Amino acid sequence: MKKGDVLALLDIPDVNKQVDEAKANFELAKIAYERWGRLREHDAVSQQEYDDKVGAYKQTEAVLRRLQDQQGFGKVVAPFDGIVTKRSIDNGDLVNAGNGGTGQALFTVAQIDKLRLYAYVPQNRAAHIHVGDSVDILRTDAADKPATGQIVRTSGAIDP
């Protein structure tokens, strides 16, 4: 998967309904704001009345943006390139947002562009291991195709 790929779409009907309501309120406040702006140009309404309409317009716009941001959480996307190693949910499962108990991971994702291998080396070979050395890693399923790596760090200690 690539960064930004959709991993899950959550059904959020309550938030969707709130967004619809906020859109209607915003459109009404926008119409009133524009109308009162034209009236204010001709001094047909007071500055206070016009300021009230401006405030209502900005408030409904902020509410709409906040709810649209919340609506965006209904789409779970990959945070980086990698693979999904574990899926903890199935279609139809209730997803806990963490506000009524402990949060639950929906997916476990691994970055595989750079793999790290941790290996224990026998004590009698530890003196031969140096940072920067090249190593071949043999796998039992592909012994004829070793993976090449590099030693980037050692513990510098012997584990008794």
Side-chain angles (χ1 to χ4, degrees):
M1 91 201 146
K2 298 288 183 196
K3 179 179 180 174
D5 284 353
V6 177
L7 299 176
L9 293 174
L10 305 178
D11 187 21
I12 48 173
D14 291 347
V15 175
N16 292 338
K17 288 177 185 174
Q18 290 175 11
V19 168
D20 291 343
E21 182 181 348
K23 280 181 184 176
N25 290 338
F26 172 72
E27 289 301 321
L28 182 62
K30 182 179 178 182
I31 291 168
Y33 160 72
E34 291 169 350
R35 183 178 299 146
W36 283 73
R38 288 189 299 274
L39 291 171
R40 182 67 193 134
E41 289 172 3
H42 300 292
D43 233 8
V45 294
S46 72
Q47 183 65 43
Q48 179 63 45
E49 291 171 315
Y50 175 67
D51 289 346
D52 289 344
K53 299 304 177 190
V54 171
Y57 170 68
K58 288 181 178 179
Q59 181 183 15
T60 58
E61 182 179 32
V63 168
L64 177 59
R65 286 181 198 262
R66 178 181 56 82
L67 289 169
Q68 286 173 332
D69 287 346
Q70 284 182 0
Q71 197 174 35
F73 290 118
K75 184 188 295 185
V76 180
V77 297
F80 47 77
D81 293 352
I83 60 170
V84 175
T85 59
K86 181 179 177 186
R87 184 179 74 178
S88 304
I89 58 167
D90 289 315
N91 285 340
D93 283 355
L94 178 64
V95 176
N96 181 356
N99 56 357
T102 57
Q104 172 190 356
L106 305 179
F107 299 95
T108 302
V109 181
Q111 261 182 318
I112 59 170
D113 57 336
K114 188 181 276 191
L115 295 177
R116 290 175 176 79
L117 174 69
Y118 299 90
Y120 291 99
V121 177
Q123 180 178 346
N124 62 349
R125 304 241 177 151
H128 303 290
I129 305 297
H130 304 289
V131 172
D133 286 352
S134 180
V135 293
D136 287 335
I137 300 142
L138 301 175
R139 300 181 323 219
T140 55
D141 62 335
D144 58 332
K145 298 177 184 174
T148 303
Q150 183 180 24
I151 298 173
V152 294
R153 180 177 319 125
T154 67
S155 69
I158 301 295
D159 184 359

